[in-house]
Amino acid sequence: MSEMRTRILMGSAVALLMSGVAMTYRSRTAAASPQAAPSQQAAAQAPQASAQQSPAPQTGAQGRGPRASEGAGSTIFGNYCENCHGKLDSAPAPELLKKMTPEHIYEVLTTGVMAPMTQDLDDQQKRDIAEWVGGRKLEFGDVGAASQMPNQCSAKATVSSISSLPSWNGWSPGIHDARFQDAKDAGITPEKISDLHLRWAFALPGADSAYGQPTVVDGKVYVASDAGYLYSLDANSGCVHWSYRVGIGVRSAPIVGPVTPGSNRYAVFFGDIRGNVYAVNADTGALIWKERVDEQPLSRVTGGTILYNGRLYVPVASLEEPESSSANYECCRFRGLVAAFDTASGEELWKSYTLPNPPAKEVTPEGIAYTGPAGVGVWGTVTIDKKRNAMYIGTGNTFSGPDIGHSDAVMALSLNTGKLLWVKQVEPGDVWHTGCPQGPAPEGFPPKSPPGRAAQVGRAGRPGFTPPKMPPTYYCPNSLGPDWDISSGVMLGTLKNGHDIIVVGQKSGLVWGLDPDKQGEVVWKSRNDLFRSQIVFGGAMDQDTAYFAFRSGGVDGINIADGKERWYTEVTSPPEMAQHRGFSAAVSVIPGVVFAGGLDGMLRAFSTTDGKEIWQFNTAQEFDTVDGIKAHGGSIGSAGPTVADGMVYVTSGYTGFQGGVPGNVLLAFSEK
């Protein structure tokens, strides 16, 4: 059966089911908790949809109210829709709804059978629901297709080699996740950084979060966004070779490699925010294979996939945390994992969960039902250690207890089988999910706030956020954690004495040095008496120094031999972006220079010697683009800059969970 016919039949089934549940849905949502309903003022001001045609949202970040976060629709859906969906046999289950396109969901909410039941929601809330359930931004027509763009390349996009030209392939140029580009492949020296200027800009149509990191291979740039398209562009001019319509948002960095080891047929591998992994032809964008990594419906691939010896290793995280903030959701069911796939066929070779057993039904001493243990997602990429035939991953917090010692940890797995070799937990007891207040900083960890300022207990990245009051049947852990997971990848380096060391940053602001030969034994940790705030999506490392950017607004360099800070530089945001200060995106390093993109939209370069800022560019502005589509930058909050062959590439626009500003642009810089 064709994909189009399947969608039509499924849409008809959903429409019939929805019409059957409409009256029940209306009565039950009216009885929902007060905090779940929009204000009367908002309802009165809500735009009315046409009865004949659903209003088409504007594409791009411009003209749209910024969402509170990447999962803005999850709480609305949970509090407003899950009164019926997932509870009544006549209402389509959330798992079925998530197979539908956001356009169909939006149509049903605005002009379809559910319109009378959603009249208290404003248009932005309906869009948020549609995009959360549908897994990508709304799109009416093929506005994101390369065939619609005026800057199509005249030359073919043939990939002849992944090593003949300088490249930045995947999340990091190498398998050790150091995000270090050597001088030859970087093609830029510290003396020339001040000469960098904007060479071209490419609009990502329909995007709000341009969180896909660009990959550079053989003179091509591969990039994606939350709008659900993957593009192949010419690295020098930005002309477009092809687009592949994923249909779901893509956050992971693409990686290019041979379909089979030694082959001259190359594929682009990547994952999406619904837990699917893909291989598409690097020359044409044609689909080679697509596989579901895990059946848990809230699974997502955020960290970059990595290739090694004919295998694709895929880390998997989840957005069950925000969905669990609904009073109607019984937390929690997700388990973090890594899976290995055959690059040629897409066959799953093995799957290894961060929690050994599936979550089970539990009851607290107070009689509150929940499911656990759950959580411990893998947000960052996989690090390959070929010397020890192992891989390393960093793990997130536990959603629902008990903590079994695998969260906020570095785990070592066998490359061949995925078998757990060892686990080193750096922070015990971090059990938390979004519907609950965050706990305080544990003993021996940095303070949660600067000296003289009271600690703000709230959701990560949203200081002072207070969750709505929940009913007495809602599950929160008895001992609340601070949500200080390891959300970045794990870096592997070698000290001057020849010993290897694992270096990893944590959302506590601490940096840890671990011994891979002693089951992750702590060699050192950075100072715990300094307020540096969160390290979110990762650092970078050269031969002797690791570099991190902090949510509080600073960048530092740390000696990887002893963990001592070499320098620390605080930055000041432009006045118009002062409320978006700080860093959450990964940093990148070349000899002599660290690049860091901020939530304030500033791309900055710092000297690796003393931390002095040597260059900056404001990406939070409008741009004329090579594809002729209006573009505006915003926050840089997830993907870090990539550097190859004398050029620097960065995406701008990120809502995320760090209080970011939407945007839809890829920028390319070169020397004047």
Side-chain angles (χ1 to χ4, degrees):
M1 184 183 295
S2 70
E3 181 181 0
M4 181 59 69
R5 187 182 176 196
T6 301
R7 288 183 177 180
I8 293 172
L9 291 176
M10 191 173 295
S12 300
V14 170
L16 288 171
L17 285 167
M18 283 182 166
S19 61
V21 77
M23 293 307 296
T24 306
Y25 185 101
R26 177 67 169 169
S27 63
R28 291 179 66 123
T29 52
S33 56
Q35 67 271 14
S39 68
Q40 292 297 320
Q41 181 180 6
Q45 295 174 348
Q48 299 299 311
S50 165
Q52 287 76 33
Q53 184 178 3
S54 57
Q58 298 180 41
T59 59
Q62 64 282 356
R64 307 173 61 153
R67 297 180 296 169
S69 74
E70 183 179 342
S74 66
T75 300
I76 307 170
F77 178 80
N79 287 333
Y80 201 83
C81 306
E82 285 186 334
N83 288 290
C84 297
H85 295 284
K87 289 183 169 59
L88 299 180
D89 292 340
S90 56
E95 291 78 10
L96 176 60
L97 296 178
K98 288 174 181 177
K99 297 179 184 295
M100 304 304 301
T101 66
E103 292 79 23
H104 178 77
I105 296 166
Y106 182 73
E107 180 182 5
V108 170
L109 293 176
T110 53
T111 63
V113 295
M114 296 305 296
M117 276 56 70
T118 59
Q119 62 183 356
D120 291 337
L121 297 178
D122 65 30
D123 187 64
Q124 185 62 52
Q125 289 172 313
K126 294 172 187 176
R127 296 179 191 214
D128 287 342
I129 291 174
E131 291 171 352
W132 164 255
V133 176
R136 61 168 169 81
K137 303 302 297 176
L138 282 160
E139 176 192 3
F140 285 79
D142 294 331
V143 296
S147 60
Q148 305 298 311
M149 296 179 177
N151 65 320
Q152 297 176 49
C153 300
S154 56
K156 291 185 177 180
T158 305
V159 175
S160 58
S161 171
I162 60 173
S163 58
S164 60
L165 293 176
S167 66
W168 183 298
N169 193 7
W171 182 252
S172 175
I175 60 175
H176 293 166
D177 193 32
R179 298 187 59 84
F180 172 77
Q181 184 73 292
D182 63 29
K184 179 182 177 182
D185 279 0
I188 304 174
T189 63
E191 295 76 21
K192 294 292 186 178
I193 292 298
S194 60
D195 292 333
L196 287 175
H197 76 292
L198 182 63
R199 184 160 177 168
W200 53 262
F202 179 84
L204 298 160
D208 267 352
S209 284
Y211 48 32
Q213 181 175 285
T215 282
V216 185
V217 170
D218 199 29
K220 287 90 179 167
V221 177
Y222 301 92
V223 67
S225 72
D226 65 343
Y229 277 91
L230 173 73
Y231 297 96
S232 171
L233 311 175
D234 180 82
N236 289 316
S237 69
C239 70
V240 58
H241 290 296
W242 52 256
S243 62
Y244 171 72
R245 188 172 186 177
V246 185
I248 300 172
V250 177
R251 177 169 170 166
S252 69
I255 190 167
V256 181
V259 175
T260 57
S263 168
N264 60 1
R265 183 185 180 214
Y266 293 97
V268 185
F269 302 90
F270 61 95
D272 68 27
I273 63 171
R274 280 292 161 79
N276 301 301
V277 63
Y278 304 74
V280 301
N281 188 300
D283 295 345
T284 65
L287 180 66
I288 299 173
W289 55 259
K290 171 186 175 182
E291 296 293 335
R292 178 79 177 169
V293 184
D294 193 63
E295 290 307 313
Q296 215 287 332
L298 294 173
S299 299
R300 60 168 25 202
V301 181
T302 60
T305 59
I306 192 163
L307 293 168
Y308 186 70
N309 285 350
R311 293 185 174 189
L312 181 73
Y313 296 100
V314 184
V316 180
S318 170
L319 279 191
E320 190 174 30
E321 271 180 312
E323 184 139 323
S324 68
S325 65
S326 162
N328 297 306
Y329 190 88
E330 183 179 291
C331 179
C332 284
R333 304 174 185 87
F334 168 78
R335 291 186 292 165
L337 66 112
V338 176
F341 292 85
D342 179 82
T343 56
S345 65
E347 177 189 0
E348 182 185 293
L349 303 175
W350 56 255
K351 181 186 296 182
S352 183
Y353 289 97
T354 56
L355 294 170
N357 300 312
K361 294 284 187 179
E362 303 284 352
V363 178
T364 69
E366 296 78 19
I368 299 172
Y370 73 98
T371 306
V376 195
V378 186
W379 290 88
T381 193
V382 173
T383 297
I384 303 294
D385 184 349
K386 61 182 181 181
K387 181 193 298 185
R388 298 169 182 83
N389 198 38
M391 67 170 65
Y392 306 117
I393 56 173
T395 64
N397 58 292
T398 299
F399 298 167
S400 55
D403 169 27
I404 68 165
H406 287 194
S407 58
D408 298 8
V410 173
M411 301 179 74
L413 309 176
S414 165
L415 278 175
N416 295 337
T417 65
K419 177 183 177 182
L420 179 63
L421 303 177
W422 54 260
V423 56
K424 179 61 181 180
Q425 186 178 51
V426 300
E427 183 190 338
D430 191 7
V431 184
W432 176 83
H433 61 90
T434 310
C436 307
Q438 285 183 351
E443 184 178 353
F445 281 76
K448 295 192 79 171
S449 296
R453 184 188 303 173
Q456 294 175 306
V457 179
R459 175 176 167 178
R462 294 176 63 186
F465 169 80
T466 302
K469 185 178 180 180
M470 292 297 184
T473 55
Y474 185 78
Y475 165 78
C476 279
N478 289 328
S479 180
L480 292 164
D483 185 35
W484 276 352
D485 43 332
I486 295 175
S487 53
S488 61
V490 176
M491 300 185 290
L492 179 64
T494 301
L495 302 175
K496 291 181 179 179
N497 61 11
H499 293 160
D500 290 338
I501 190 165
I502 291 170
V503 179
V504 62
Q506 187 197 1
K507 279 170 66 177
S508 64
L510 285 180
V511 180
W512 301 82
L514 309 177
D515 190 337
D517 291 318
K518 296 182 178 180
Q519 297 192 324
E521 178 182 299
V522 176
V523 178
W524 52 259
K525 68 176 181 178
S526 58
R527 288 179 60 178
N528 63 5
D529 60 335
L530 295 173
F531 172 76
R532 289 286 186 259
S533 190
Q534 299 173 6
I535 298 170
V536 185
F537 291 120
M541 187 167 66
D542 57 24
Q543 291 79 8
D544 56 15
T545 306
Y547 307 91
F548 294 92
F550 298 87
R551 186 65 180 83
S552 58
V555 180
D556 77 353
I558 292 178
N559 187 331
I560 65 172
D562 57 16
K564 293 182 179 179
E565 195 169 77
R566 296 183 185 272
W567 52 261
Y568 177 78
T569 301
E570 190 86 17
V571 301
T572 301
S573 296
E576 65 274 14
M577 293 287 280
Q579 71 273 34
H580 301 289
R581 67 188 304 269
F583 300 90
S584 62
V587 302
S588 308
V589 64
I590 67 173
V593 182
V594 179
F595 291 94
L599 288 167
D600 60 5
M602 299 298 295
L603 177 60
R604 298 176 173 92
F606 304 86
S607 167
T608 59
T609 303
D610 56 12
K612 180 181 178 182
E613 185 175 322
I614 56 179
W615 177 81
Q616 64 174 228
F617 183 89
N618 186 0
T619 72
Q621 57 178 299
E622 291 187 356
F623 294 94
D624 294 327
T625 65
V626 292
D627 50 338
I629 298 169
K630 188 175 181 181
H632 196 291
S635 295
I636 304 171
S638 175
T642 58
V643 187
D645 203 17
M647 296 187 67
V648 179
Y649 306 88
V650 71
T651 50
S652 181
Y654 179 74
T655 54
F657 296 98
Q658 305 297 320
V661 175
N664 66 328
V665 69
L666 166 65
L667 303 173
F669 301 87
S670 65
E671 295 178 17
K672 294 178 181 178

